[in-house]
Amino acid sequence: MAFALSKMKLESYAFNAHGAIPEKFTCEGDDVSPSLTWRDAPDGTRGYAIICHDPDAPLIQNGGYGFVHWLLYNLPGSTTSLSENTGDGTRGKNDFGKTGYGGPMPPEGHGQHHYYFWILALDKPTDLPEGLGLSELLKQLEPHLLGMNRLIGTYQRA
């Protein structure tokens, strides 16, 4: 993925930066997406996408590593927040093999994992089909990437 770190700020009412993600938002709980809010998008932003990725997962596939938990795209440039368990946007295919959000679920005994929620600001609105995987989504989005930033949460199974 092209790296275009920006001054955008991504936050959640559900957890603080580098804080524990509550069980409600995991596969051990209700498995719903947390609320997200963002601000300070780069000038010219016309659309957004969200990616949630666990780089600590012991999975290597398609030349990448980690585990994709959520791909959400086709969000208009006027969007600055997503409610809990959002129905906004278009859902991509996660590494559970499903579309939509799949919460944290590290292997038992694997310790604490870090979950990177990325916000990508795009220079144009998108109208991509549902069900894209990470590599295809990035192929479509990278030429339009203006900036990005992340919110990191943690989770460890009891």
Side-chain angles (χ1 to χ4, degrees):
M1 176 166 59
F3 196 72
L5 196 61
S6 73
K7 293 182 181 179
M8 273 193 302
K9 180 82 169 164
L10 179 62
E11 298 173 307
S12 178
Y13 295 113
F15 61 95
N16 294 322
H18 301 282
I21 297 170
E23 187 175 291
K24 175 181 185 175
F25 305 103
T26 74
C27 287
E28 294 185 291
D30 295 337
D31 202 22
V32 296
S33 61
S35 64
L36 296 173
T37 62
W38 56 91
R39 63 180 185 275
D40 302 327
D43 289 341
T45 298
R46 302 286 181 261
Y48 294 101
I50 301 285
I51 297 170
C52 179
H53 176 256
D54 171 8
D56 299 323
L59 178 66
I60 299 173
Q61 61 181 1
N62 304 320
Y65 66 95
F67 196 91
V68 175
H69 285 266
W70 194 23
L71 300 174
L72 188 67
Y73 43 93
N74 297 339
L75 295 167
S78 59
T79 306
T80 58
S81 66
L82 296 171
S83 61
E84 182 179 299
N85 198 27
T86 187
D88 294 347
T90 302
R91 300 171 304 164
K93 189 174 182 182
N94 60 41
D95 283 340
F96 290 110
K98 300 177 182 179
T99 57
Y101 179 81
M105 185 68 159
E108 280 192 49
H110 206 257
Q112 180 175 276
H113 281 218
H114 296 82
Y115 297 86
Y116 285 65
F117 289 80
W118 289 95
I119 178 79
L120 284 66
L122 309 169
D123 67 1
K124 70 172 212 157
T126 57
D127 187 22
L128 300 170
E130 183 173 291
L132 295 180
L134 180 61
S135 60
E136 181 61 27
L137 180 63
L138 291 177
K139 180 179 169 185
Q140 297 293 324
L141 298 183
E142 279 184 323
H144 304 287
L145 186 61
L146 292 175
M148 57 196 288
N149 218 323
R150 77 252 180 237
L151 169 65
I152 302 170
T154 63
Y155 189 72
Q156 179 173 341
R157 288 178 69 181

